[in-house]
Amino acid sequence: MECDTKTRKNSSLCNGQRLIISTALSSTADKTSFAYISARDRWPIIITGAIDDVHRAVSETTDEDKREEGKRIVEELAKLKYELQHDRKLSPLPEDGQPDIAGYNKELEQLGTPSWFDVPWLYAECYLYRRVATSFSLSSQWKSYDVFGRQKMSTFRSSRPAVLELANRYHELISQMGKKSDKSEEEVNTAEKILFMEMCEICLWGNATDLSLLTSLTYEDIQKLQGSEARKASEKNIIVNDLEKAYDVLKKAKKDGKKDRQVDIVLDNAGFELYVDLILAGFLLSAGLATNIILHPKSIPWFVSDVVPADFAALLNALASPQAFYSTPSDDEKNAGTTPEPLSQKEIDELSFLFQNWSGFHAEGQLMLRSNRFWTEGGSFWRLPTAAPRLHEDLKESELVIFKGDLNYRKLTGDGMWDPTTPFTKAIGPLGPGSGVNVLALRTCKADVVVGLKEGEDEKLRAMEEGGGDSGARKWAWSGKWAVVSFSPGK
Ligand code: F6P
Ligand code: MG
């Protein structure tokens, strides 16, 4: 079915089949959207960062071939930046041997070869990172180079206090769970539910909300946690909260005595966010709320901080020799002539416990990574059943598929400019009820699209300081300060 230009902008194409997303797509031409700012202000900065990183890597190598290729990559990135800043048409991606290139170029044609400042935001942003990746994949010396790798590791290193705090609490928590509990069934269930919520909130915000009270599973402490100020504060900014529904799905599967209970986590960012994803995964396995966890990383460097398999290995390596990792001065520390405080023996032991615990699950096959190129294609997850039927079947095996972060949420909802009161189950289209997939989105808002809100909620948030007011811009949703935790029952 041929679509007119307007419909084309609202349609999500796959294998010739059009899935009509019944709302306009977020566009870089929309002056009120974060797309407009991203294309004009943020993307040039990101490309400049990549250029600087390659320059630095070139200066650090003596291999002549690698230097020459690095200079060519810098030129290609500079060309991309020039085209972007001068609102040029997006050019077809060069073949690099991967099957997704054809899909990107077919969509580019379907969109009428648009220019950077008037193109669906989701496609253009995915295209940007896929095009950067071709500069490396088409090289010989830089094929596996991660142009964002340097900053991913340095942000993890700089999260040292929160890493140590969580390691301490996790160690105590898992050790407590191992002990015979003298509590009633009801007390243990209540504690487990509260801990699930706390762990998900830590995973959502990528920080330790209120771990001070996690030192023991005593009923009183857990109740204190439920009512604690920090918890109330962090929950205040979760404007849609379906965590209980997600917990009930896992609890029911456990109660029904299902032998294999898989949970999938479609990952977002590396570093501390991957660390808290593993804390959640380890908790789910230790609490028996899941029997195996599948982690879905990206296959190429993506949206600056997203997880590629090498980031998982680097995190486990850091935990395997924590003293070496945390005592090596970072580049900034080297420049400042300072050396980091060495870890105490207790801190080393607690990080080593994490390493043993997680690598143990990994060795047993209870925690595994499963890459799929679908996650770095240019379209929304509305296409998943038709574009990646095998992946769809795999996700149906799961009790719960957790999608982390803002980009995954945009892809779930087609990055559509929905009425914010649109039900989440409607906005995720083919992955909604009847899809066979139980979806949980853990999303800190960093883009315009938001659904599932109560009447008046969006207006209330817009009216707040920096909320966007009556400018038409939903600025409150750009800051990462607000979050939605949305569940769709697919089974
Ligand atoms: O907020 C800008 C942005 O690049 C969005 O375009 C994108 O969805 C988001 O950041 C990525 O954030 P996250 O890592 O949470 O998916
Ligand atoms: Mg990300």
Side-chain angles (χ1 to χ4, degrees):
M1 157 195 162
E2 259 317 293
C3 297
D4 60 43
T5 320
K6 183 178 174 313
T7 318
R8 184 175 293 150
K9 282 211 164 80
N10 300 359
S11 70
S12 172
L13 170 93
C14 174
N15 295 344
Q17 193 190 357
R18 282 195 184 285
L19 309 160
I20 303 294
I21 294 176
S22 56
T23 184
L25 301 184
S26 187
S27 161
T28 59
D30 174 355
K31 286 187 172 52
T32 68
S33 80
F34 197 40
Y36 189 90
I37 295 169
S38 292
R40 289 158 184 76
D41 303 340
R42 300 179 57 257
W43 294 347
I45 294 169
I46 289 166
I47 301 172
T48 305
I51 289 170
D52 294 347
D53 178 85
V54 177
H55 259 308
R56 190 161 158 193
V58 165
S59 69
E60 287 164 355
T61 180
T62 52
D63 176 323
E64 232 1 81
D65 290 349
K66 186 164 182 182
R67 289 174 69 87
E68 281 319 300
E69 272 205 329
K71 287 175 191 158
R72 184 177 55 70
I73 291 172
V74 164
E75 282 160 21
E76 286 179 9
L77 294 175
K79 182 169 173 291
L80 167 60
K81 183 179 162 188
Y82 180 91
E83 290 171 14
L84 166 61
Q85 290 186 305
H86 293 79
D87 190 20
R88 294 288 191 273
K89 287 184 177 303
L90 277 64
S91 53
L93 292 173
E95 279 300 334
D96 68 355
Q98 293 299 338
D100 61 332
I101 295 288
Y104 270 97
N105 289 342
K106 186 177 175 80
E107 181 135 14
L108 189 59
E109 212 183 294
Q110 293 288 344
L111 288 169
T113 318
S115 68
W116 283 99
F117 294 166
D118 181 9
V119 57
W121 186 19
L122 182 63
Y123 175 79
E125 198 159 26
C126 294
Y127 168 99
L128 173 72
Y129 289 97
R130 185 65 183 89
R131 175 148 160 200
V132 168
T134 59
S135 289
F136 296 91
S137 58
L138 287 169
S139 75
S140 53
Q141 313 278 336
W142 299 76
K143 267 191 187 319
S144 57
Y145 185 77
D146 181 349
V147 73
F148 305 119
R150 213 189 292 267
Q151 66 188 58
K152 287 194 264 193
M153 220 47 207
S154 69
T155 48
F156 179 58
R157 190 195 308 276
S158 60
S159 319
R160 170 171 162 165
V163 166
L164 295 176
E165 152 93 11
L166 263 173
N168 172 269
R169 300 303 174 199
Y170 182 84
H171 176 238
E172 291 182 349
L173 188 56
I174 302 305
S175 310
Q176 292 270 351
M177 279 183 183
K179 286 191 194 114
K180 188 86 197 74
S181 84
D182 53 357
K183 294 172 199 55
S184 70
E185 164 105 5
E186 199 251 345
E187 282 182 338
V188 170
N189 284 339
T190 307
E192 183 187 76
K193 183 170 184 175
I194 297 299
L195 287 170
F196 173 81
M197 317 278 265
E198 179 68 9
M199 285 294 165
C200 287
E201 284 180 26
I202 293 164
C203 191
L204 167 70
W205 294 113
N207 62 23
T209 48
D210 184 18
L211 289 165
S212 53
L213 291 172
L214 278 185
T215 48
S216 75
L217 281 175
T218 65
Y219 194 55
E220 296 68 34
D221 276 353
I222 292 295
Q223 279 203 314
K224 260 194 281 180
L225 173 64
Q226 194 167 16
S228 71
E229 286 322 304
R231 183 178 178 76
K232 278 189 190 138
S234 74
E235 285 190 334
K236 172 173 66 59
N237 284 24
I238 303 176
I239 49 182
V240 174
N241 193 334
D242 292 341
L243 276 180
E244 281 206 57
K245 292 179 189 166
Y247 175 75
D248 291 345
V249 163
L250 298 183
K251 195 67 190 166
K252 182 176 180 314
K254 184 179 177 184
K255 260 201 181 121
D256 292 352
K258 267 188 90 172
K259 191 169 136 324
D260 296 326
R261 288 171 287 109
Q262 175 179 314
V263 168
D264 288 64
I265 305 178
V266 182
L267 298 174
D268 181 13
N269 298 324
F272 188 65
E273 279 199 37
L274 175 58
Y275 179 77
V276 293
D277 291 340
L278 290 171
I279 292 274
L280 174 62
F283 165 72
L284 292 175
L285 291 170
S286 306
L289 287 169
T291 54
N292 67 301
I293 307 272
I294 311 268
L295 303 174
H296 299 267
K298 302 299 188 297
S299 303
I300 55 173
W302 192 251
F303 281 66
V304 180
S305 21
D306 279 30
V307 177
V308 294
D311 297 318
F312 178 76
L315 179 57
L316 285 190
N317 287 340
L319 295 176
S321 2
Q323 189 66 287
F325 177 73
Y326 276 112
S327 303
T328 311
S330 64
D331 299 327
D332 299 348
E333 283 159 337
K334 268 186 215 141
N335 298 338
T338 59
T339 46
E341 191 66 26
L343 296 174
S344 69
Q345 191 51 51
K346 180 170 177 290
E347 289 166 337
I348 291 171
D349 294 345
E350 285 165 349
L351 289 173
S352 302
F353 175 84
L354 277 186
F355 172 71
Q356 299 301 335
N357 188 253
W358 293 345
S359 42
F361 285 134
H362 192 231
E364 290 299 308
Q366 286 184 274
L367 175 68
M368 62 174 79
L369 274 78
R370 190 178 286 166
S371 299
N372 191 302
R373 284 244 164 200
F374 175 76
W375 303 122
T376 50
E377 287 185 3
S380 84
F381 294 162
W382 278 53
R383 304 177 183 185
L384 197 151
T386 42
R390 279 289 316 281
L391 175 60
H392 186 201
E393 290 311 308
D394 291 347
L395 295 179
K396 285 179 184 174
E397 299 296 309
S398 195
E399 299 306 319
L400 184 66
V401 182
I402 300 171
F403 289 86
K404 286 289 307 298
D406 183 76
L407 174 63
N408 278 327
Y409 184 89
R410 288 173 57 203
K411 286 198 165 191
L412 280 169
T413 57
D415 211 24
M417 299 309 282
W418 301 96
D419 176 310
T421 63
T422 307
F424 178 69
T425 49
K426 176 180 178 208
I428 63 173
L431 286 188
S435 64
V437 182
N438 284 332
V439 170
L440 178 70
L442 287 185
R443 183 247 187 159
T444 43
C445 305
K446 291 191 235 170
D448 304 279
V449 60
V450 68
V451 293
L453 301 193
K454 295 188 285 291
E455 279 298 335
E457 182 90 36
D458 179 37
E459 293 76 3
K460 193 178 79 182
L461 290 163
R462 284 173 188 259
M464 294 176 83
E465 176 81 18
E466 283 302 297
D470 48 14
S471 68
R474 184 177 285 144
K475 278 183 79 172
W476 66 264
W478 303 350
S479 63
K481 216 178 94 190
W482 302 93
V484 287
V485 175
S486 301
F487 175 74
S488 166
K491 304 265 184 197

